[in-house]
């Protein structure tokens, strides 16, 4: 595995950074928040990103995508992460689109993937429940067979873009006990299906998420995604790959708040000197720089290992997520602290990075969860 | 000693007789309680009654001289009062910067007229005070402040801007630092002065923090006239007063963060609601390790504040420990808030609305608010400098 | 509990510090090491310490002691720790003497305690084995009854002052499986008993320790110390109290290396300035100061809680030892680092503190062991 | 490309034919291997033979020009040689400061005469070099060095003291910094010069470290005569040469600590010998957490050195990362050593003699030795300053 960007990836990175600077500064995310925008992202911008080919990076060519890898997509996600762009890559591409690609029937793929790749359709996955924490096997939502149909009941939480998605892929238990890995089945359910209610939730990072409650939602046999009872395995693999994407976004976020902080150190005067001349702050900045460099290497390695299907790819993803979680939070905390008073105000952007760092940390398993997984994978 | 026991018995009886029963067991978080002032709001009518009955005896300021309306108690008697209030689980009748900051400062540096004018109002909770120190360009480097005060007749005319003025929008008076001699070295041209917030030319604007709360304001001062007799101590010698007061402030912040571990739920109990246990052990070993580290550090810190308290009681001279308590106490609170969030997991991500419990939402806001603790009241970096210089004697 | 020194303790502290400065500088410990002194400490100095009343602090008055508490002894031990004085407080007073005091028969006490208090007799406890790590219940050494006598076989390691002790208290298994708490019995065995062989071991801190091998060592029924099979409970309590003493010594060590480091920061010039003017070093020194303050509070609290028999005394001891272990090591590591090149040489004293910090850390349970115990005591 | 494959096949065959079979699989730790020199000792006769056969082909210095006895290989060919040596598990035929430090420096800055005189001796392992930079008063502040060199005719007469000269007692020549103009600003009066250690007036004294080993010496210089032609680059411009060489040194140290995780036993395996497991999990959760944190950080660091290597291969300009690798690599090694000791517990406390296994004793010495890693070759503090300045652009 070569830990270096290809020429194409360098170009992609440059395009993405330029786009983000001009079309999607942090002020856009702030405006969406202040307006309490009902969608939570920009459909126009999403469509532009589709036209640039970013939305379709992971989608097979047969369905309108570019059939490229995570190693390519992370370059774009890092750039978007720099300005906290809220467009639905996680929900629609990394979760929904990937589940469809990996496990969907030909009919399902035909019905959804081209619309996703063109930026027209939004799809999401409802996998998290009030007591599930980070474990995909903790599914209390039930699906029961009733004369050829399936009837689902339960509640899912913090479903990314759940209130705007055209359809939701829902994990439900069709067999087994509450924490069993076997017996979980995935269902693809249009949002307007009777019995499915979506309520917007307000999180600290202002990304659009929703409570999804299923009250005897009836769907046909054709809505099964993947094999009956075999949903856990598919979902795990897809969430693992999505984690790499999230880590790239986090890498962008930590890099940007670090850059902002460095800039402040170079311009803010106190005690008759630029505060960047104070050695204690210099050393902290230098250490933070090293941590971010290590985070970057981890994300690059995880993306390449996932693309290649290397045997240690799960390890590397846990490495990237544990380190990414800690380092983004550290960079945001140091960002607030080194900005001093202004850093703790809502008016300044530092707080946005802190809030996003915390949400990202607690998405797809926090640092502790991934360290536990690492230790278990390494048998100690 | 016998007298003290008599005092204890009387005090206990008096408190039992006079404290409204409903307030027993009230615990006050940071920023909660009776702050007093012209715009005062009270948690409930009984808390207001509690203030009044205590203020009438001077027991809102137990150790202040009786001539200004204080309790006139000795240190030992004041401790008895505190102990008996704790035994009956009675909350503080009054809180705020009047009691903790400007009151003690006036007792040390104020003129007799200033004491007469202000102390009794503080004791009764009539007037609420705020602190006008920081400015946009003068954060950690406080002494570089630029707000100008020019003497014109009997008045100083003040122009400038203060920032991080806690609750300026709810306060009646401000004690502040102004520059009265721009030519002097920066520590020597500063004056400490008292200003009525109702004066023409004073405007406050709340600052929204990342937690969504607005405990601080910007305060804009345009040609504000302040009587010259409101100068505390000497003109151009305000830095002396400011340093004494900063010490009160750090001690107050430190004690707010230092001791309060008792009343809180332990983290172990909190974890039971959110995470898996294997037998008696938290299954997530990384989380368990972090909890253990935090709890042990918190106890060691609490023992250290106890030790400082015991040393003070034993009459030992105080060290420059207030910086230590400020740093470690605020960082411990940040660690605690971060840890509680990690325990709650995704439930700690809510801002408001559906899907989160009230207590989860407020914990999350507390966590965000805690990030400011290591900045306000003197950044940790400045406190570390102070320890290096004053405690360790390291060279400049 | 009052966390403040009494006037008597203040006086004791002053005496001890003065004594240590004049009679026991670090150079004495260095000389003992360089000479590969067969005893490993100074019998003359030990006798002087006895005459000063320090050796008998914990011993009941009836046996020539002062019957004072740990809160008094720690004041002396802290002073001795400042210069790494190797006199046998741990072996003879905190382990041997305390075991005798707590569990000895009147006859055993009469035979030993006065000689200990006067500084004439050395006693130690052999509790550690090759696989026992920090667990006092892991005892493979066996004691079997044979026609009125007990016959012991096994091996004990790193027995403090084992090669000079007049007698050794040995933990041996008289019943139960290898890790059981029940079935451990303590035996008081004169060193010249046939079958008992003592071999000096060389540790990094040069404190005198020995391998003790027991090859069918035969002793009479009178050598039992405490109840048959009930040795674990007694030993645990004594080791816990001894841990407080060790923590006090560690507190002295960390305080002294910190003082030495501060002194270096105030005198060493680099880049045309005293290195103590560099802010990064200032901040690290200030943080170290705070950690040491917290260590001091923990030791004071643990000593007082142990004296009073407070219900949380075990917690407090684990607090003191975990924090003491980490902070002494940190102070020593920072000491070496801030001294730069000279700090990594044998010629400088910093290395002695580092080595002692490591040994002290791994005596009576390291930081991890005590954190585990804390968490278990607090049921999480 | 076809040529390269041909070269690969030939190289493989040649190595198979010429490497003594006994040396295959030899792994060299820090400080181990063939150091060469007049006082050379070799791990075994086959290792000496291996040096000779490789030196004859110039393959001890594969990329150096053939005219000086080097291999004359292109970068691509040198990589093939490294790969094939790795495939056959062959150790380096020669190590030392001649190859890694003074050789590259002479190639860049030396006169033709200097190259002619020294390079072939380095390649053959005839002469071992040491570095005379630090002085007792000049540690981190290297440029404040005081060793004086005064020109007298064709010779410089040198007086002063060097310290931390690695293996000076085993070395034949020293490259050193001396002050030739005491009046100039401190960076501008320094000259880089080469000195035969056999010159009269040179005395070395090994320094014992806390680990008991003596890898460094003090070197005393009393009226040592060194020919003026031994100056490298220009008089009073030694700092330019020194900086280039320091970069070589940091890179060398960083690569020593950066990559070697492969050949070592994993910490998990090591733990199995000493600590309890509950099922597949280490029972001590605190220790388990620490191990996990270390192993994950070590892997992230290894990936980062891989990334730097891949970037270099792709022709990207090197950043100022050598300071980062120096800091993080040495600290990781310290953490590793400390952790291994914590796993072994009381068995990690031995200095020598009874009751400890050989491997335990050497691990403990390694731990003590590792404390110097963050000091020697430029302290971590100095490296952090370098990152802050050169990488982050923070102001002085």
């Amino acid at each position: 595995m070569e830990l270096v960007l290809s020429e194409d990836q360098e170009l992609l990175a440059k395009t993405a950074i330029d786009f983000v600077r001009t079309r999607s500064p942090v002020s856009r995310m702030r405006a969406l928040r202040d307006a309490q925008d009902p969608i939570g992202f920009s459909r126009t911008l999403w469509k532009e990103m589709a036209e640039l080919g970013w939305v379709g990076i992971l989608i097979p060519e047969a369905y309108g995508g570019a059939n490229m890898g995570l190693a390519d997509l992370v370059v774009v996600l890092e750039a978007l992460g720099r300005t906290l762009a809220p467009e639905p890559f996680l929900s629609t591409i990394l979760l929904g689109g990937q589940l469809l690609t990996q496990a969907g029937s030909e009919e399902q793929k035909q019905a959804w993937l081209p619309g996703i790749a063109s930026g027209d359709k939004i799809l999401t996955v409802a996998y998290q429940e009030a007591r599930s924490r980070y474990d995909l096997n903790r599914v209390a939502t039930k699906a029961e067979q009733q004369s050829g149909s399936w009837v689902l009941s339960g509640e899912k939480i913090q479903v990314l873009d759940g209130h705007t998605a055209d359809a939701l892929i829902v994990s439900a238990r069709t067999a087994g006990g509450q924490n069993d890995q076997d017996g979980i089945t995935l269902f693809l359910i249009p949002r307007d299906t009777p019995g499915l209610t979506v309520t917007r939730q307000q999180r600290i990072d202002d990304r659009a998420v929703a409570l999804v409650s299923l009250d005897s939602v009836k769907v046909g046999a054709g809505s099964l995604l993947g094999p009956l009872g075999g949903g856990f395995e598919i979902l795990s693999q897809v969430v693992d790959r999505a984690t790499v994407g999230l880590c790239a976004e986090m890498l962008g976020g930590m890099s940007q708040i670090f850059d902002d902080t460095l800039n402040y150190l170079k311009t803010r005067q106190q005690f008759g000197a630029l505060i960047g001349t104070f050695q204690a702050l210099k050393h902290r900045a230098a250490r933070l720089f090293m941590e971010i460099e290590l985070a970057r290497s981890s994300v690059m390695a995880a993306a390449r290992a996932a693309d290649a299907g290397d045997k240690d790819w799960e390890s590397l993803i846990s490495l990237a997520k544990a380190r990414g979680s800690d380092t983004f939070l550290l960079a945001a905390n140091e960002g607030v602290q080194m900005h001093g008073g202004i850093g703790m105000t809502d008016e300044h952007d530092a707080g946005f990075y802190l809030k996003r760092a915390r949400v990202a940390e607690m998405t797809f398993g926090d640092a502790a969860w991934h360290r536990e997984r690492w230790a278990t994978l390494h048998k100690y | 000693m016998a007298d003290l026991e008599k005092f204890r018995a009387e005090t206990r009886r008096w408190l039992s007789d006079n404290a409204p029963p409903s307030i027993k067991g009230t615990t006050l978080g940071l920023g909660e309680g009776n702050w007093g002032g012209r715009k005062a709001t009270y948690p409930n009518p009984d808390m207001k009654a509690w203030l009044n009955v205590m203020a009438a005896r001077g027991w809102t300021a137990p150790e202040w001289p009786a001539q200004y309306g204080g309790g006139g108690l000795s240190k030992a008697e004041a401790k008895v009062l505190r102990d008996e209030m704790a035994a009956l689980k009675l909350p503080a009748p009054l809180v705020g910067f009047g009691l903790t900051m400007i009151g003690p400062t006036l007792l040390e540096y104020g003129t007799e007229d200033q004491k007469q004018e202000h102390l009794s109002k503080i004791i009764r909770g009539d007037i609420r005070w705020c602190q006008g120190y920081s400015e946009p360009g003068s954060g950690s480097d406080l002494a570089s402040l630029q707000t100008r005060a020019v003497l014109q007749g009997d008045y100083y005319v003040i122009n400038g801007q203060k920032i991080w003025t806690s609750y300026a929008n709810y306060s009646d008076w401000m004690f502040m630092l102004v520059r009265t001699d721009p030519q002097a070295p920066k520590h020597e041209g500063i004056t400490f002065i008292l200003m009525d917030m109702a004066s023409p030319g004073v405007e406050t604007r709340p600052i929204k923090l990342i937690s969504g709360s607005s405990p601080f304001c910007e305060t804009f001062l345009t040609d504000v006239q302040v009587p010259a007799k409101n100068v505390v101590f000497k003109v151009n010698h305000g830095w002396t007063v400011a340093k004494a007061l900063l010490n009160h402030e750090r001690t107050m912040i430190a004690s707010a963060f230092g001791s309060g571990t008792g009343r809180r739920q332990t983290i172990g109990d909190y974890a039971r609601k959110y995470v898996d246990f294997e037998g008696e052990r938290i299954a997530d070993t990384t989380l368990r390790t972090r909890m253990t580290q935090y709890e042990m550090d918190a106890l060691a810190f609490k023992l250290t504040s106890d030790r400082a308290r015991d040393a003070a009681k034993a009459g030992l001279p105080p060290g420059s420990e207030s910086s230590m308590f400020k740093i470690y106490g605020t960082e411990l609170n940040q660690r605690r808030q971060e840890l509680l969030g990690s325990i709650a997991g995704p439930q700690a991500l809510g801002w408001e609305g559906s899907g989160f419990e009230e207590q989860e939402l407020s914990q999350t806001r507390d966590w965000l608010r805690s990030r400011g603790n290591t900045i306000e009241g003197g950044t940790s970096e400045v406190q570390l400098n102070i320890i290096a210089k004053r405690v360790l004697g390291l060279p400049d």
Side-chain angles (χ1 to χ4, degrees), chain A, chain B:
Chain A
M1 142 169 94
E2 297 266 301
L3 294 175
V4 68
L5 295 193
S6 68
E7 278 179 36
D8 287 349
Q9 286 162 353
E10 289 279 6
L11 194 65
L12 188 59
K14 196 185 164 323
T15 316
I17 290 274
D18 289 348
F19 178 88
V20 158
R21 291 239 166 90
T22 53
R23 307 278 296 131
S24 176
V26 183
S27 56
R28 185 173 72 86
M29 180 252 159
R30 180 185 288 277
L32 286 168
R33 180 197 73 164
D34 290 348
Q36 297 205 276
D37 186 274
I39 295 176
F41 64 90
S42 157
R43 284 207 178 258
T44 315
L45 233 63
W46 184 240
K47 193 79 185 148
E48 281 184 48
M49 291 175 187
E51 279 154 17
L52 282 161
W54 302 348
V55 171
I57 282 178
L58 292 185
I59 294 174
E61 290 180 40
Y63 307 103
N67 201 31
M68 292 155 73
L70 277 172
D72 305 296
L73 183 59
V74 294
V75 165
V76 173
L77 293 175
E78 182 189 339
L80 294 170
R82 281 193 166 261
T83 60
L84 307 169
E87 273 60 39
F89 276 99
L90 274 181
S91 59
T92 304
I93 303 304
L94 286 158
L95 293 174
Q98 283 285 289
L99 268 184
L100 269 178
T101 306
Q102 302 299 327
S105 66
E106 187 53 36
E107 197 183 335
Q108 287 167 332
K109 292 182 190 176
Q110 290 286 2
W112 288 94
L113 289 178
I116 289 175
S118 64
D120 294 309
K121 284 190 178 153
I122 303 297
L123 186 63
T124 191
V125 179
Y127 61 91
Q128 209 170 11
E129 301 187 358
R131 309 297 301 168
S132 68
R133 210 170 166 85
Y134 309 118
D135 298 325
L136 301 171
N137 52 309
R138 302 194 177 216
V139 176
T141 298
K142 288 227 178 306
E144 289 171 336
Q145 214 155 7
Q146 284 183 7
S147 53
S149 297
W150 289 92
V151 179
L152 286 84
S153 290
E155 191 180 57
K156 299 288 178 176
I157 66 164
Q158 298 186 35
V159 180
L160 300 165
D161 303 300
H163 64 303
T164 45
D166 298 290
L168 301 90
I169 297 169
V170 177
S171 62
R173 185 159 292 290
T174 47
Q178 192 165 319
N179 296 342
D180 288 351
Q181 294 187 354
D182 287 342
I184 294 167
T185 305
L186 303 174
F187 294 88
L188 177 62
I189 308 178
R191 182 160 54 89
D192 54 10
T193 308
L196 191 152
T197 319
V198 171
T199 316
R200 175 81 179 262
Q201 285 187 284
Q202 301 293 334
R203 290 194 313 194
I204 48 176
D205 67 339
D206 295 295
R207 290 285 170 103
V209 291
L211 280 179
V212 174
S213 95
L214 301 117
D215 182 10
S216 299
V217 174
K218 193 187 254 188
V219 293
S223 53
L224 249 77
L225 188 76
L228 179 65
F232 172 80
E233 187 68 18
I234 306 163
L235 187 58
S236 295
Q237 302 255 333
V238 166
V239 165
D240 261 342
R241 288 171 57 84
T243 303
V244 181
L246 176 60
C247 288
E249 189 217 302
M250 295 163 77
L251 178 64
M254 70 181 82
S255 301
Q256 187 60 48
I257 182 62
F258 181 58
D259 287 351
D260 291 351
T261 305
L262 282 180
N263 193 45
Y264 193 71
L265 294 179
K266 292 173 190 175
T267 51
R268 167 79 172 172
Q269 294 244 0
Q270 287 283 275
F271 304 103
L274 293 171
I275 62 174
T277 62
F278 298 138
Q279 198 194 34
L281 297 187
K282 280 187 188 185
H283 282 198
R284 275 157 60 185
R287 290 204 173 267
L288 189 48
F289 163 77
M290 298 196 292
E291 296 299 333
I292 295 173
E293 286 294 304
L294 268 60
R296 176 173 300 282
S297 313
S298 306
V299 174
M300 287 176 79
R304 281 154 185 75
D307 283 341
D310 290 350
K311 71 175 166 35
D312 61 346
W313 76 296
E314 287 174 306
S315 262
L316 285 168
I317 286 165
S318 281
L319 177 69
K321 187 59 170 51
R323 173 159 279 281
S325 297
D326 284 351
T327 309
F328 193 6
L329 198 59
L330 177 67
N333 279 338
E334 284 284 60
V336 169
Q337 182 70 24
M338 293 193 190
H339 276 87
I342 189 75
M344 61 184 187
T345 64
D346 182 73
E347 179 193 346
H348 195 271
D349 291 342
F352 286 177
Y353 288 90
L354 177 60
K355 290 167 178 172
R356 182 60 193 155
R358 192 66 164 161
V359 172
E361 178 198 0
M362 294 190 188
T363 302
F364 306 149
D366 66 3
W369 192 89
H370 281 284
R371 291 219 165 80
E372 290 291 305
R373 187 168 87 152
W374 165 288
T376 304
L377 286 169
H378 288 79
K379 300 202 192 322
Y380 63 82
Chain B
M1 213 53 178
D3 282 355
L4 213 55
E5 285 317 301
K6 187 160 163 254
F7 176 75
R8 184 183 297 279
E10 285 170 8
T11 301
R12 187 177 307 169
R13 195 171 330 112
W14 187 89
L15 288 171
S16 295
D17 292 348
N18 289 281
S22 76
I23 65 164
K24 287 181 189 165
T26 303
T27 55
L28 301 176
L30 282 176
E32 294 169 11
N34 290 339
W35 286 78
R38 296 180 194 136
K39 306 171 207 163
T41 56
Y42 296 90
N44 55 59
D46 281 352
M47 279 292 285
K48 186 173 181 190
W50 173 229
L51 165 60
N52 290 339
V53 69
M54 285 291 276
R57 253 198 115 143
W59 280 8
T60 49
E63 293 178 53
W64 292 10
Q67 67 191 103
Y68 306 118
L73 302 188
S74 68
K75 267 195 194 309
E77 287 168 336
K79 180 175 183 321
V80 166
L81 174 58
R82 278 197 304 274
D83 290 348
E84 293 305 318
M85 284 176 64
L88 292 170
K89 298 191 176 157
L90 297 171
L94 181 64
V95 299
F97 296 171
L99 288 177
T100 54
M101 296 208 274
I102 185 64
T105 304
L106 287 178
L107 281 167
E108 189 174 356
Y109 292 99
T111 62
E112 187 55 36
D113 280 355
Q114 287 168 343
K115 291 180 198 173
Q116 292 287 357
E117 180 180 354
H118 296 294
L119 294 180
S120 66
K121 291 180 189 165
I122 291 172
I123 290 164
R124 292 198 307 269
D126 290 345
I127 293 294
R128 180 170 179 173
W129 286 83
C130 63
Q131 178 188 47
Y133 272 31
S134 296
E135 300 180 5
S138 308
S140 290
D141 183 13
L142 182 58
S144 69
L145 59 93
Q146 297 297 329
T147 292
R148 283 283 281 128
V150 178
L151 189 63
Q152 292 186 1
D154 292 343
Y155 287 84
Y156 279 95
V157 177
I158 301 181
N159 280 284
Q161 184 188 347
K162 293 290 175 181
I163 195 167
W164 314 125
T165 19
S166 301
Y167 305 113
N169 47 342
Y170 302 122
S171 297
D172 309 306
W173 277 70
M174 175 190 275
F175 52 92
M176 67 192 300
L177 296 174
V178 292
R179 185 158 302 282
T180 36
D181 184 353
Q183 262 66 57
K186 70 178 179 180
H187 291 88
E188 294 167 24
I190 293 172
T191 298
F192 189 104
I193 198 166
L194 311 177
M195 177 185 81
D196 189 331
M197 295 288 281
S199 314
V202 178
E203 191 194 334
T204 64
R205 189 187 298 159
I207 300 168
K208 190 159 118 187
L209 298 189
I210 57 178
S211 63
S213 68
S214 297
F216 303 113
C217 292
E218 293 178 284
T219 304
F220 301 91
L221 306 162
T222 313
D223 293 331
V224 182
Q225 293 194 343
V226 176
K229 70 181 170 67
N230 286 8
V231 168
V232 177
F233 198 50
K234 292 180 277 188
V235 174
N236 292 334
H237 284 73
W239 192 247
T240 306
V241 187
K243 275 195 298 182
L245 197 143
L246 280 176
N247 232 357
H248 290 304
E249 181 183 15
R250 271 201 298 276
T251 305
M252 184 192 71
I253 294 174
S255 77
F257 289 106
S259 46
T261 50
R263 56 173 266 241
R264 287 162 168 162
Q265 197 183 23
T266 73
I267 296 215
D269 292 338
Y270 192 77
R272 250 160 241 283
K273 178 171 174 187
Y274 291 102
V275 305
D276 285 348
F277 278 63
E278 285 176 4
E280 289 221 316
R281 231 157 70 154
I282 289 171
D284 182 330
T285 63
T286 306
L287 183 62
R288 181 173 186 257
T289 299
R290 204 172 132 207
M291 282 171 56
T292 309
Q293 184 82 49
Y294 166 76
E295 293 248 296
M296 293 178 82
D297 288 348
L299 178 57
F301 180 68
K302 183 187 174 302
L303 292 170
T304 306
S305 16
D306 291 352
R307 180 157 71 88
R309 181 203 60 203
D310 292 346
K313 272 196 296 196
L316 297 176
S320 295
E321 302 101 345
S322 63
S323 289
M324 172 172 81
F325 292 115
K326 166 74 166 73
I327 298 167
Y328 212 96
T330 52
E331 289 179 355
L332 265 182
N333 187 44
Q334 291 176 340
R335 282 171 62 190
R336 178 186 177 84
Q337 299 300 344
E338 218 169 73
L339 182 52
L340 289 173
S342 295
I343 290 169
Q347 288 307 111
L349 299 177
W351 181 252
E352 60 189 16
S354 305
F356 304 101
E357 295 176 19
E358 270 312 308
Q359 170 270 341
E360 290 165 348
L361 291 170
S362 78
Q363 195 280 313
T364 298
R365 302 277 188 132
D366 287 348
W367 159 64
L368 286 165
R369 181 65 188 84
S370 76
R371 297 314 312 176
N373 299 158
T374 48
I375 297 169
E376 61 203 294
T379 64
S380 293
E381 289 77 8
V382 164
Q383 309 302 329
L384 288 167
N385 288 345
I386 291 173
I387 292 176
K389 179 172 182 168
R390 300 210 200 134
V391 184
L392 308 181
L394 290 172
D396 275 330

